[in-house]
Amino acid sequence: MFHFLRGIFESSAHEPALESDRHRLEKFLEDKPNILVLTGAGISTESGIPDYRSEGVGLYARSNHKPIQHGDFVAYESTRKRYWARNYVGWPRFSAVAPNVTHYTLARLEREQRISGIVTQNVDKLHTKAGSRSVMEMHGSGYNVICIGKTGKGCNYHIPRHEFQSILDQLNPQMEDQSTMMRPDGDVELPQEYVENFKIPPCPECGGALKPEIVFFGDNIPMPRIERIVRMIIESDGVLVLGSSLTVFSGYRIVLQAKELGLPVAIVNIGETRGDPKADLKISARCGELMQSLFKK
């Protein structure tokens, strides 16, 4: 299904993972057996979901489109219609994506008590699909839909994304998949005429707008979620970053907080990251290549 995307991502220039890199990462995890893992979009590209910032291959490099801004989604029906039309067409493919070796390896490391938990910047549920249990979805999940009312604060209505898809099916029986590019949050690019004719339902309880339970750009992470992440950092022995450029401050803040507590930080990512100057260990490699043989004899 995503072979054309895999070809794009595999063309990203990087050096192959070295055996010495694997040994260094294993040593980092052995020395500190209670490691908190922070994951970014770079671990899901090998499942066929693109990221935003990979040099030459991320969405920003291949397209002029920018992600939906929270303020625009709340304020403009046209923005909500554009998002939901694209998300509707992209959902069958996005929700069918399977975890890759990195997700499965992290689930195994959790079972082996080598890591304490995962904080992910991704909204794709691939960690949960792979069997990880202690997962904090920093930016929410595309698998749930919530009411935001008419001003950004809605009622308590929510519905699973799969059920919401059935409602959209009924409202848009003529909608065809004319998409050209998958996006990191599961939506796709569509011709404008399809967007203009798309129908979205209001909240059945208060008449407000419905939104995926995702922290869009320009929105804030809920404070209880931030507090929980801080507790996860405090209770850990260190932080391992996988597949994140740490450009978004919510991810970079975890590295800063770890260093303020005197905790070691390791980063595995293709290319430079914002956190490299803070890292005790930096490995520039594709996560899947490095993780597939981790702690395997």
Side-chain angles (χ1 to χ4, degrees), residues 13-75:
H14 71 285
E15 295 296 326
L18 302 175
E19 186 71 9
S20 59
D21 292 333
R22 181 177 67 84
H23 288 313
R24 288 194 297 157
L25 183 55
E26 286 182 342
K27 182 68 164 55
F28 179 83
L29 292 169
E30 286 175 337
D31 288 346
K32 302 289 184 180
N34 197 36
I35 293 294
L36 177 65
V37 180
L38 169 65
T39 64
I43 75 162
S44 292
T45 56
E46 293 173 59
S47 289
I49 299 176
D51 65 357
Y52 284 114
R53 295 182 175 83
S54 290
E55 183 176 353
V57 298
L59 182 63
Y60 290 165
R62 295 179 289 118
S63 166
N64 291 325
H65 290 280
K66 302 301 181 186
I68 293 288
Q69 298 292 314
H70 176 75
D72 292 341
F73 188 94
V74 173

Side-chain angles (χ1 to χ4, degrees), residues 11 13 15-16 20 37 49 53 55 66 68 108 141 145 150-151 174 193 235 244 260 270-271 278-279:
S11 67
E15 295 296 326
S20 59
V37 180
I49 299 176
R53 295 182 175 83
E55 183 176 353
K66 302 301 181 186
I68 293 288
R108 173 172 61 83
S141 166
V145 178
K150 299 178 180 179
T151 62
Q174 305 303 318
E193 60 266 25
E235 293 169 359
S244 175
E260 288 174 359
I270 298 175
K278 304 288 186 181

Side-chain angles (χ1 to χ4, degrees), residues 271-289:
E272 297 181 355
T273 82
R274 189 179 184 182
D276 287 357
K278 304 288 186 181
D280 299 271
L281 171 63
K282 169 60 192 299
I283 299 173
S284 185
R286 181 180 287 139
C287 293
E289 291 182 356

Side-chain angles (χ1 to χ4, degrees), residues 175-246:
M175 196 71 174
E176 299 177 2
D177 188 346
Q178 296 289 328
S179 59
T180 59
M181 184 187 296
M182 173 70 74
R183 299 182 184 211
D185 289 344
D187 56 336
V188 295
E189 293 188 15
L190 287 175
Q192 184 58 30
E193 60 266 25
Y194 285 87
V195 173
E196 292 174 352
N197 294 321
F198 193 74
K199 296 180 177 62
I200 53 177
C203 171
E205 295 187 2
C206 73
L210 298 175
K211 172 184 173 291
E213 195 176 24
I214 295 174
V215 178
F216 284 163
F217 284 76
D219 194 8
N220 297 316
I221 298 173
M223 186 54 64
R225 201 175 298 169
I226 293 176
E227 292 172 348
R228 172 57 183 151
I229 292 171
V230 171
R231 288 197 299 272
M232 293 174 77
I233 299 170
I234 292 173
E235 293 169 359
S236 75
D237 294 326
V239 170
L240 169 61
V241 180
L242 295 176
S244 175
S245 65
L246 300 173

